[in-house]
Amino acid sequence: MSDDVLGRWVPHHPEEVATIFAKADFPWWIAGGYAIELAVGRELRPHGDLDVLVLRRDQARVCEVMSGWDLFVADPPGRGKLRPWPPGEVLRPPLHDIWCRRTPAAPWSVQLMLDEAEGTQWVSRRTQEIRLPIDRLGKTSETGIPYLTPEVQLFYKAKATRDKDETDFEAVLPLLDAPARAWLADAINVTTPGHPWLRRLLPVSRT
């Protein structure tokens, strides 16, 4: 969905999001390109938005943290349409994409992404075959900011790679150890078999 249709984006930085979520009593992670930058420890490129991943089961607590914000849900996802997310509404699959701004007059600054969970397992919203223990879903930057682990972020980026995704892949690939590469190769094989990234991952994966 583009700014031309839905309004202007001025994304927050991860440090600002960490301040907003400082009192959160649920897990959350910086996602998207900013997650890759937190992993590599340097800026890679400009960003048009800022993604924050949370578990669907925690959505009510997310609303408490963001009380007073102007929240809209993409409904249906990916079709260029937003509608207000009123307090108390429980979002169910396939709804997962929430645009956030501080006031109706402000630009969009945070994009919330809801993902699934079963007990202690994260479950990809794309397929239940892709799972990971929740305590392995994220890492913490040197400044204390939680971010989505690179292999999970690259899995989501692999569906329809753009130039910026290739930039992120090249930057973070040297940091992925053998288990991370194996997990990513297996996950991509489930959803995007034949993906060109597999040639870079397979030599040290178990597939």
Side-chain angles (χ1 to χ4, degrees):
M1 289 181 281
S2 69
D3 291 357
D4 294 342
V5 176
L6 299 173
R8 184 170 61 101
W9 267 90
V10 179
H12 277 338
H13 292 284
E15 292 79 7
E16 294 173 287
V17 173
T19 298
I20 296 166
F21 282 80
K23 295 183 179 180
D25 60 351
F26 54 87
W28 62 272
W29 305 270
I30 297 290
Y34 275 113
I36 301 296
E37 290 188 347
L38 289 169
V40 301
R42 68 180 189 279
E43 293 184 6
L44 297 173
R45 55 179 175 80
H47 297 275
D49 57 13
L50 180 142
D51 299 333
V52 177
L53 184 74
V54 295
L55 300 177
R56 184 179 300 277
R57 65 191 183 192
D58 294 324
Q59 60 181 282
R61 289 189 283 179
V62 173
C63 288
E64 293 175 4
V65 168
M66 304 193 77
S67 176
W69 282 63
D70 199 36
L71 306 179
F72 279 68
V73 59
D75 186 5
R79 298 292 181 85
K81 295 182 179 180
L82 297 176
R83 67 167 175 81
W85 183 22
E89 179 186 0
V90 177
L91 298 180
R92 305 190 184 281
L95 303 181
H96 67 271
D97 183 2
I98 303 153
W99 289 33
C100 314
R101 57 191 177 187
R102 289 190 177 274
T103 70
W108 304 108
S109 56
V110 176
Q111 189 167 5
L112 294 173
M113 311 300 289
L114 302 181
D115 249 0
E116 312 306 321
E118 293 181 6
T120 61
Q121 292 280 313
W122 163 80
V123 182
S124 170
R125 62 179 176 271
R126 290 184 180 165
T127 172
Q128 291 196 356
E129 292 181 66
I130 307 300
R131 296 168 176 256
L132 200 66
I134 293 171
D135 61 8
R136 289 176 50 198
L137 189 58
K139 297 185 177 182
T140 304
S141 73
E142 293 182 355
T143 56
I145 300 173
Y147 63 91
L148 195 62
T149 194
E151 58 267 30
V152 175
Q153 186 57 66
L154 291 175
F155 161 69
Y156 276 126
K157 285 177 169 288
K159 180 179 179 180
T161 51
R162 302 150 293 183
D163 288 346
K164 63 181 182 180
D165 302 317
E166 297 293 345
T167 296
D168 292 346
F169 178 77
E170 293 293 338
V172 81
L173 180 62
L175 301 182
L176 299 184
D177 59 17
R181 292 184 183 218
W183 183 93
L184 178 57
D186 288 347
I188 291 176
N189 266 320
V190 169
T191 57
T192 322
H195 194 287
W197 286 356
L198 292 172
R199 293 194 298 270
R200 305 284 301 279
L201 296 167
L202 287 173
V204 290
S205 79
R206 65 176 181 274
T207 56

